Amino acid sequence: MNAHDTQTLDAVALADAPAYADILAAAARIAPHAHATPVLTSRALDELAGCRLHFKCENLQRGGAFKFRGACNAVFSLSDEQAARGIVTQSSGNHGGAIALAARLRGARATVVAPHNTPKVKLAAIRAYGADVVFCEPAQSARDVMTAQVLADTGGVLVHPFNDPRVIAGQGTATLELMAAAPGLDAVIAPVSGGGLLSGTAIAAHGGDPAIAVYGAEPQGARDAHDSLAEGRRITGRATDTVCDGLRAELGTLTFPILRSHVREVLLVDDAQAIAAMRLIWERMKLVVEPSGAVPLAAVLAHRDLFAGRSVGLIVSGGNVDLDQAAHWFAAQAS
Amino acid sequence: MNAHDTQTLDAVALADAPAYADILAAAARIAPHAHATPVLTSRALDELAGCRLHFKCENLQRGGAFKFRGACNAVFSLSDEQAARGIVTQSSGNHGGAIALAARLRGARATVVAPHNTPKVKLAAIRAYGADVVFCEPAQSARDVMTAQVLADTGGVLVHPFNDPRVIAGQGTATLELMAAAPGLDAVIAPVSGGGLLSGTAIAAHGGDPAIAVYGAEPQGARDAHDSLAEGRRITGRATDTVCDGLRAELGTLTFPILRSHVREVLLVDDAQAIAAMRLIWERMKLVVEPSGAVPLAAVLAHRDLFAGRSVGLIVSGGNVDLDQAAHWFAAQAS
């Protein structure tokens, strides 16, 4: 495929991207169900970072992660006829739980295709909300095959974890709230995995203020978004190696062109930086965040020059972490 | 001393108690400096408790505890002449850090009399805000002697951790915010140690709605407030044994009569219940709280019948806990 073809495909995909108005509509749609999470600040961390930080606390969202926003918007966008057919998704993490919860609120059935190595705590959350779980092999191709099979068997409706304009619009609502609580932001940083959160963040930010610099933050061990944007083509099929279990997915066909047109840079951090930033947020801000949720702060601390003296919004994406596992990470880093 | 004398003394002390108007004035005085902390809810914990819980998150206050409210109100109530003389207090914990911070904001010197076994992390916080530390033996009598000595040497002004109407008024501002965020509360529960927080909570609650039931929550291993209210006399000089390091003080001459006239009951919990409640808040609400801050939730869970179906406000008093220590508590309880 040559550069011209890539641009054409991007244009096609971008036509499916949600607009700012879709994010405003999503905010109204999910308002009865989702938390308007607080935006918190810390003078201690401002001093450490050399800039003014505004933390959008999606760890305090229902289900413990921003994922509920997108899932809720997608599920409540369905017609009654669609909802009655049941909702199908694939997830090894927070999106599965979010879809299960949103489906329960809608009164719809949900089936989550999950790799058999999904953490038990995440499976328990999905089942606690009443969804069915269908297991598959961990590889993405196996997940896709099983998802197609479940869709065919059940006649259900797919809500993809990130490559879906309704999901992207829902994720963007966090940034609407962030900008209302912290007017005049110079920059906003969100973690990037499949790119749904960062896409929604970017569209919401630039809809409200086209001058805001939008950054992604990504672990070195899952740097497909960084490299995809640098090379101008979507890189897939790489192995990942990072403690940030929420950030191992690859950009999708819809999120890649959105990020290309909106994101200034994807900033890389290593796992030690992510765990150190996580500990700072626990200790200084008294918030339980998972490693993925601390990656934006880690990115600021690793790239102080970019943000010196500026006002910066950070999307703290989630707080679903096993406390005993977290204690092990902290102990390993201290020794 | 007979019952009549006790009543007379109570009446004298109550004349010094802050009024509702003093709490409203304190709210205006500290507004430029203190955080208006969020009030958070959790459907999962509501289901577990069988009532509607509203968590006032003072772990997210500056300095990581409600203590900054009272310290700030007291320090900014001083005349310029008083402030210039310097501020003296005694504390082995959060109050010392709160006074140090408030004094720095006021541009005043502060001296904290601290027992020599004060945790290093708390000493570091006090010194980081620029206060001087003077060490003494841990016994209350030794603390009082050293405090008197420092007051004589420096000519400074005492701000007692809890037996001070300006401090009590400041602590009450948290409940003003709680009631504004969660109208129609049936009950409010605060931890009780020296009684400053619970006194301020009670005066604020009953000033806004005389029908609210005000409860204290206290560890079994430091149950002087429970027993003092039950026996109608202030019990002092007992040894304490609890992991709740913020709740080991005894009621004061001012706080005891305030609690007698306002508090329906002091609910007792054991340390295992406090740690279990602490873990629930970390896991379900994604908030780092210290054992003392989890005692109100522990009290609800241990006394479900009192609160069934009601709307209950809980003061989450602080989040200053060593993460490694917390991991040990959790691990010990799981085994």
Side-chain angles (χ1 to χ4, degrees):
Chain A
M1 187 180 293
N2 62 33
H4 179 74
D5 289 341
T6 303
Q7 284 173 7
T8 307
L9 272 184
D10 278 8
V12 171
L14 272 176
D16 290 332
Y20 185 59
D22 295 315
I23 299 178
L24 298 174
R29 189 174 292 116
I30 72 174
H33 310 293
H35 287 320
T37 56
V39 175
L40 300 178
T41 60
S42 163
R43 288 169 180 79
L45 293 184
D46 284 359
E47 286 179 25
L48 207 59
C51 58
R52 282 165 291 137
L53 299 173
H54 305 270
F55 295 82
K56 178 61 174 170
C57 295
E58 288 299 295
N59 59 322
L60 305 179
Q61 187 51 264
R62 290 186 78 174
F66 74 93
K67 288 286 191 182
F68 180 65
R69 295 177 182 270
C72 187
N73 187 54
V75 166
F76 282 87
S77 295
L78 298 175
S79 68
D80 288 348
E81 181 273 326
Q82 289 173 312
R85 286 158 54 195
I87 296 147
V88 177
T89 196
Q90 57 177 237
S91 168
S92 60
N94 293 325
H95 176 70
I99 283 288
L101 172 55
R104 191 181 71 170
L105 293 170
R106 181 76 199 261
R109 285 179 42 242
T111 306
V112 178
V113 175
H116 58 66
N117 60 355
T118 299
K120 279 179 190 161
V121 61
K122 308 249 171 163
L123 288 175
I126 293 168
R127 287 175 167 144
Y129 292 128
D132 294 323
V133 176
V134 174
F135 290 103
C136 65
E137 294 298 313
Q140 186 58 49
S141 55
R143 298 191 201 192
D144 291 340
V145 167
M146 184 60 82
T147 302
Q149 184 66 52
V150 172
L151 284 167
D153 290 348
T154 66
V157 177
L158 176 67
V159 177
H160 191 274
F162 51 84
N163 214 43
D164 180 311
R166 301 162 300 184
V167 171
I168 292 170
Q171 319 303 31
T173 60
T175 296
L176 296 183
E177 295 171 13
L178 169 63
M179 293 172 73
L185 289 179
D186 297 303
V188 60
I189 312 177
V192 56
S193 181
L197 173 63
L198 184 55
S199 292
T201 300
I203 295 166
H206 287 154
D209 177 0
I212 290 185
V214 177
Y215 292 89
E218 191 174 42
Q220 286 277 6
R223 55 185 284 172
D224 71 289
H226 175 279
D227 292 354
S228 294
L229 292 185
E231 298 187 22
R233 65 185 182 89
R234 194 165 67 93
I235 295 169
T236 61
R238 283 187 186 166
T240 60
D241 179 16
T242 174
V243 296
C244 302
D245 60 293
L247 302 182
R248 293 174 184 152
E250 298 165 344
L251 294 185
T253 51
L254 176 56
T255 53
F256 173 60
I258 295 173
L259 300 191
R260 280 189 84 181
S261 70
H262 280 284
V263 169
R264 184 165 301 186
E265 190 177 347
V266 173
L267 306 172
L268 296 174
V269 303
D270 63 30
D271 278 3
Q273 291 170 320
I275 296 298
M278 176 178 155
R279 181 161 194 146
L280 280 172
I281 295 174
W282 287 45
E283 288 189 334
R284 307 294 178 90
M285 301 192 68
K286 315 303 178 189
L287 295 173
V288 173
V289 299
E290 57 188 275
S292 304
V295 163
L297 175 61
V300 169
L301 296 175
H303 300 84
R304 277 185 180 73
D305 50 319
L306 282 177
F307 304 105
R310 316 303 285 280
S311 180
V312 183
L314 307 179
I315 311 290
V316 177
S317 52
N320 291 327
V321 59
D322 182 275
L323 296 182
D324 303 316
Q325 175 66 65
H328 284 298
W329 284 327
F330 292 150
Q333 195 150 58
S335 65
Chain B
M1 187 180 293
N2 62 33
H4 180 74
D5 288 342
T6 303
Q7 284 172 7
T8 307
L9 272 183
D10 278 8
V12 171
L14 272 175
D16 292 330
Y20 186 59
D22 295 314
I23 299 179
L24 297 175
R29 190 175 290 116
I30 72 174
H33 310 292
H35 287 321
T37 56
V39 175
L40 299 179
T41 60
S42 163
R43 287 169 181 80
L45 293 184
D46 284 358
E47 286 179 26
L48 207 58
C51 59
R52 283 165 290 135
L53 299 172
H54 305 270
F55 295 81
K56 179 62 174 168
C57 294
E58 288 299 294
N59 59 323
L60 305 180
Q61 186 51 265
R62 290 185 78 174
F66 74 94
K67 289 284 189 183
F68 181 66
R69 294 178 182 269
C72 187
N73 187 52
V75 167
F76 282 87
S77 294
L78 299 175
S79 68
D80 288 347
E81 181 274 325
Q82 289 174 313
R85 287 159 53 198
I87 296 147
V88 177
T89 195
Q90 57 177 234
S91 168
S92 61
N94 292 326
H95 176 70
I99 284 288
L101 172 55
R104 191 181 71 170
L105 293 170
R106 182 76 199 263
R109 284 178 44 241
T111 307
V112 179
V113 174
H116 59 64
N117 60 357
T118 299
K120 279 180 189 159
V121 60
K122 308 249 168 159
L123 289 175
I126 293 168
R127 288 174 166 144
Y129 292 129
D132 294 322
V133 175
V134 174
F135 289 103
C136 64
E137 294 298 311
Q140 185 60 48
S141 56
R143 298 190 201 192
D144 291 340
V145 168
M146 185 61 83
T147 302
Q149 185 64 53
V150 172
L151 284 166
D153 291 349
T154 65
V157 178
L158 176 67
V159 177
H160 191 275
F162 51 85
N163 214 42
D164 181 310
R166 303 161 299 185
V167 171
I168 291 170
Q171 319 304 29
T173 60
T175 296
L176 296 183
E177 295 170 13
L178 169 63
M179 292 171 71
L185 289 179
D186 298 302
V188 61
I189 311 176
V192 57
S193 181
L197 174 63
L198 184 55
S199 292
T201 300
I203 296 167
H206 287 156
D209 177 0
I212 290 185
V214 176
Y215 292 90
E218 190 173 44
Q220 285 277 5
R223 55 185 282 171
D224 72 289
H226 175 278
D227 292 354
S228 294
L229 292 184
E231 297 187 22
R233 64 184 183 91
R234 194 164 67 93
I235 296 168
T236 61
R238 281 189 188 165
T240 60
D241 179 18
T242 174
V243 296
C244 302
D245 60 293
L247 302 182
R248 293 175 185 151
E250 298 166 343
L251 294 185
T253 52
L254 176 56
T255 54
F256 173 62
I258 295 174
L259 300 191
R260 279 188 84 181
S261 71
H262 279 284
V263 169
R264 184 165 299 187
E265 190 178 348
V266 173
L267 305 172
L268 296 174
V269 304
D270 63 29
D271 279 3
Q273 291 170 320
I275 297 297
M278 176 178 156
R279 180 161 194 146
L280 280 172
I281 295 174
W282 287 45
E283 288 188 334
R284 306 294 177 91
M285 300 191 69
K286 314 303 177 188
L287 295 173
V288 173
V289 298
E290 57 188 274
S292 305
V295 164
L297 175 62
V300 169
L301 296 175
H303 300 84
R304 278 186 180 73
D305 50 319
L306 282 177
F307 305 104
R310 315 304 284 279
S311 181
V312 183
L314 307 178
I315 311 289
V316 177
S317 52
N320 292 327
V321 59
D322 182 276
L323 296 182
D324 303 315
Q325 175 65 66
H328 283 298
W329 284 327
F330 292 150
Q333 194 150 60
S335 66

